[in-house]
């Protein structure tokens, strides 16, 4: 290593979305002054900004008395009106939504601290939508028993991200935009830094730090139809896994019910929160058959399965009958333009449909990763089922598995998760630094190892016909067809064989651009290698879990099996033999929230 290729910080965060920027801001507020944040995009293009519908917190359990005015007296909501909200109710909804696989100690922390996070956003200037009396507006969301989605029209993630980014800059956080993390340096179970590439120059750097946090987001790009941005290639989970960190609950991938037909681009759950209907080709509101209580506002896993059943039984819409309709026409132009302007623009831009006047075709789309890097409620990454910490390594947001979402996430709990646990991880890292954390030495030259990897990727055999893009496309097709909304052992065995075949073909794939400056061809190859790495973990974990729970729905094992499968999956890298699986118990308060049948 040379001095020119070494960068040192006290705290280094990889990922500049809500989890990463919150961690950096929180550490800065706690007095840490040397903080760096890497992002392979400009920070304001992080995927947190694409979230539309809201961020959950139990705020409005009272309302102004009749005639009281904005500052008038408050009274409890009378019987027959909306239920009074509380953190306990939010907690139960989240546990039920998780199909009892969420860790209840972590969920309790999340729901109790949620209002504090919302008010901190508000005090930093976040422009929430408001009620006439000035309070933050809240809307209904699937699986929540009362309105608790705090929103900013349908740009919620966008305004939250802008708010937190400017505050992090204000506190002296140094951002490295368009830098790509290639490797995580862990020696003797101590995290010592990362290897990163400045995308503009192609130069590699060893970045040393006393504490490293991953906030690298999800991995929906392993599927053909997905709401995820192009950048969501699961880099963080693949890099951590390659460094010897286990991955937890990777079989649980949520399919959002309302991706634009053929595109996957998200039509926010706010569409249904504001009163939208789902209809099949016969014009029926089919959710009455599947969740007569909550109808369209049942949890996402249940709604996606209901849609897929309608499609599979021949009541779909579109050229291949592979979608259903989202009907917002009854809401009226004023409500749509004030509360759903972005989704109207998306439907018109990508499908030519004006939702004010016409139904828009939609279909289930790969959306959210419940699994990821195992971490506790302070973001501390753990190395095994016993909770042994990986010293100096933290994770938060979608790449992490705390696990507050268990087998299925409720809408609006993701922005809360990223914000709240990013904030907690930042505080924990600050305490770690101020408690005397050391900058540990690094043996060898990890940057040189990554340089050799890059040269290997750029030196495919002459005349090879393999294409990185083709390998990626075949992976996404296989994951969509055989590891999607519904799964069987036969399908997943087929998917696993396909993944292994693609892994064998990948070294022959050509990187056509041989330059180093802003080489997107090279980045695509590295991302595809990451997709192939964690996709195997997803399929093996899913194939092994012989039950249906939350977003993991097997038609050959249709029932939830608490006797055998009320446990988290841990997948450990095992050389070339595929992942080695282990298990970790679920934290359950057996007196307050014992497992029960999940009905809506």
């Amino acid at each position: 290593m040379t001095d020119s290729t070494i960068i040192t910080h006290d705290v280094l965060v990889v990922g500049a979305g809500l989890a990463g920027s919150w961690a950096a801001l929180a550490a800065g507020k706690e007095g840490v002054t040397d903080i760096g944040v890497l992002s392979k995009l400009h920070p304001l293009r992080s995927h947190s900004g694409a979230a539309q519908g809201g961020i959950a917190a139990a705020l409005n359990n009272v309302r102004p008395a009749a005639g009281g005015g904005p500052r008038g007296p408050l009274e409890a909501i009378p019987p027959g009106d909306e239920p009074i909200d509380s953190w306990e109710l939010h907690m139960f909804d989240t546990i039920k939504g998780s199909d009892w696989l969420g860790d209840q100690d972590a969920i309790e922390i999340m729901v109790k601290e949620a209002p504090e996070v919302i008010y901190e956003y508000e005090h930093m200037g976040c422009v929430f939508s408001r009620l006439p009396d000035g309070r933050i507006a809240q809307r209904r969301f699937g699986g929540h028993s009362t309105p608790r989605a705090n929103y900013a029209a349908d740009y919620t993630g966008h305004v939250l991200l802008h708010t937190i980014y400017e505050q992090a800059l204000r506190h002296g956080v140094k951002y490295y935009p368009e830098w790509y993390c290639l490797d995580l340096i862990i020696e003797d179970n101590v995290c010592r830094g990362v290897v990163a590439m400045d995308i503009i120059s192609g130069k590699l750097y060893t970045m040393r730090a006393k504490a490293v946090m991953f906030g690298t987001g999800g991995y929906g790009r392993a599927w053909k139809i997905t709401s995820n941005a192009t950048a969501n290639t699961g880099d963080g989970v693949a890099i951590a896994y390659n460094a010897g960190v286990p991955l937890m609950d990777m079989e649980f991938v949520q399919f959002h019910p309302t991706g634009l037909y053929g595109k996957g681009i998200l039509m926010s759950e706010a569409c249904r929160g504001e009163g939208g209907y789902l209809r099949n080709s016969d014009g029926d509101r089919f959710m009455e058959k599947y969740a007569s209580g909550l109808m369209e506002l049942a949890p996402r896993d249940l709604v996606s399965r209901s849609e897929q059943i309608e499609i599979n039984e021949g009541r779909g819409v579109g050229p291949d009958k592979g979608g259903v309709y989202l009907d917002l026409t009854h809401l009226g132009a004023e409500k749509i333009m004030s509360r759903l302007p972005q989704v109207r623009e998306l439907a018109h831009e990508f499908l030519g449909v004006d939702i004010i006047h016409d139904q828009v075709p939609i279909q289930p789309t790969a959306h959210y990763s419940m699994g990821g890097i195992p971490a506790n409620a302070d973001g501390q990454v753990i190395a095994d089922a016993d909770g042994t910490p990986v010293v100096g390594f933290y994770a938060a947001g979608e790449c992490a598995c705390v696990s507050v979402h268990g087998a299925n996430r409720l809408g609006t709990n993701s922005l809360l998760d990223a914000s709240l646990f990013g904030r907690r991880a930042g505080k924990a890292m600050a305490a770690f630094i101020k408690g005397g954390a050391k900058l540990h030495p690094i043996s060898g030259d990890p940057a040189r190892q990554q340089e050799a990897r890059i040269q290997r990727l750029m030196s495919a055999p002459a005349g090879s016909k393999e294409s990185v893009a083709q390998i990626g496309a075949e992976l996404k097709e296989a994951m969509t067809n055989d590891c999607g909304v519904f799964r069987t052992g036969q399908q997943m065995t087929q998917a696993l064989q396909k993944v292994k075949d693609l892994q064998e073909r990948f070294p022959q794939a050509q990187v056509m651009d041989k330059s180093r400056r802003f080489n997107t061809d090279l980045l695509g190859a590295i991302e595809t290698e990451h997709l192939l790495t964690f996709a195997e973990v997803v399929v093996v974990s899913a194939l092994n879990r012989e039950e249906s729970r939350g977003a993991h729905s097997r038609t050959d094992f249709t029932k939830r099996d608490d006797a055998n499968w009320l446990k988290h999956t841990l997948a450990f890298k095992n050389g070339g033999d595929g992942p080695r699986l282990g298990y970790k118990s679920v934290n359950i308060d057996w007196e307050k929230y014992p497992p029960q049948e999940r009905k809506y």
Side-chain angles (χ1 to χ4, degrees), residues 361-393:
I362 49 98
Q363 67 184 122
T365 181
H367 179 63
Y368 189 86
S369 319
M370 273 75 73
I373 303 166
N376 66 22
D378 289 322
Q380 173 66 67
V381 173
I382 59 174
D384 52 37
D386 297 326
T388 305
V390 180
V391 178
F393 186 35

Side-chain angles (χ1 to χ4, degrees), residues 65-234:
R71 297 183 181 276
L74 298 176
E75 65 177 0
I77 297 175
D81 280 16
E82 298 289 2
I84 297 173
D85 206 2
S86 65
W87 69 261
E88 291 93 344
L89 191 56
H90 188 185
M91 181 167 178
F92 178 74
D93 288 345
T94 301
I95 292 168
K96 183 178 179 183
S98 80
D99 218 347
W100 270 268
L101 200 72
D103 286 323
Q104 295 179 13
D105 54 343
I107 293 172
E108 182 170 342
I109 288 169
M110 182 178 77
V111 299
K112 280 184 172 179
E113 292 184 9
E116 183 181 326
V117 170
I118 301 303
Y119 293 134
E120 188 163 354
Y121 268 126
E122 183 180 38
H123 295 164
M124 287 189 290
C126 183
V127 286
F128 288 110
S129 296
R130 300 280 172 173
L131 297 175
D133 62 12
R135 289 174 300 151
I136 296 171
Q138 295 181 301
R139 58 165 57 116
R140 282 191 171 277
F141 250 66
H144 293 278
S145 54
T146 186
R148 66 170 67 98
N150 306 276
Y151 65 92
D154 57 354
Y155 293 93
T156 310
H158 179 86
V159 301
L160 298 183
L161 184 60
H162 277 252
T163 300
I164 210 69
Y165 174 63
E166 68 181 16
Q167 290 296 317
L169 290 176
R170 177 177 171 232
H171 282 78
V173 173
K174 178 175 175 56
Y175 281 86
Y176 294 84
E178 296 178 328
W179 281 54
Y180 191 103
C181 180
L182 294 169
D183 190 24
L184 177 67
I185 305 168
I186 296 176
E187 298 178 27
D188 300 324
N189 202 43
V190 176
C191 182
R192 298 158 194 251
V194 305
V195 177
M197 175 170 60
D198 175 3
I199 296 171
I200 294 175
S201 68
K203 188 175 180 180
L204 300 190
Y205 293 83
T206 298
M207 306 188 76
R208 300 178 63 194
K210 298 175 182 177
V212 173
M213 194 199 94
F214 273 15
T216 55
Y219 43 86
R221 278 285 152 180
W223 283 263
K224 182 179 179 181
I225 300 295
T226 178
S227 65
N228 284 201
T230 306
N232 282 32
T233 49

Side-chain angles (χ1 to χ4, degrees), residues 451-521:
E451 182 64 45
R453 174 193 182 191
I454 288 171
Q455 292 305 319
R456 187 170 64 250
L457 289 171
M458 298 179 75
S459 304
S464 172
K465 301 297 184 183
E466 289 289 2
S467 155
V468 171
Q470 180 62 31
I471 286 174
E474 290 184 32
L475 172 69
K476 294 170 186 182
E477 191 79 33
M479 294 297 284
T480 296
N481 293 339
D482 295 327
C483 200
V485 175
F486 290 110
R487 309 162 173 184
T488 66
Q490 181 181 359
Q491 285 178 301
M492 289 186 288
T493 300
Q494 193 170 291
L496 181 59
Q497 184 56 52
K498 183 66 174 181
V499 171
K500 288 183 174 295
D501 174 58
L502 294 173
Q503 288 173 340
E504 291 177 6
R505 287 167 49 190
F506 181 76
Q508 312 301 315
Q510 294 276 8
V511 174
M512 305 305 292
D513 184 354
K514 304 301 182 183
S515 70
R516 291 298 291 269
R517 291 184 63 83
F518 221 104
N519 189 336
T520 54
D521 200 17

Side-chain angles (χ1 to χ4, degrees), residues 96 142-143 272 278 285-307 309-310 598-600:
K96 183 178 179 183
R272 288 172 288 128
L278 295 174
R285 284 183 68 188
F286 56 84
M287 284 307 301
E288 189 168 2
K289 292 189 292 185
Y290 305 102
S292 58
L294 291 181
M295 295 288 286
E296 286 86 0
L297 286 175
R300 290 173 180 173
D301 60 326
L302 197 160
V303 179
S304 289
R305 286 195 295 274
S306 303
E307 289 180 352
I309 291 170
E310 293 295 306
R598 183 170 174 247
K599 296 188 296 185
Y600 291 94

Side-chain angles (χ1 to χ4, degrees), residues 385-435:
D386 297 326
T388 305
V390 180
V391 178
F393 186 35
Y394 299 79
E398 193 172 351
C399 75
C401 185
V402 173
S403 141
V404 287
H405 308 305
N408 173 66
R409 175 178 68 78
L410 294 188
T412 72
N413 271 352
S414 60
L415 290 180
L416 175 62
D417 168 14
S419 301
L420 190 148
F421 290 110
R423 178 176 179 250
R424 289 181 66 92
K427 291 181 178 181
M429 286 190 291
F432 179 62
I433 299 299
K434 293 192 291 185

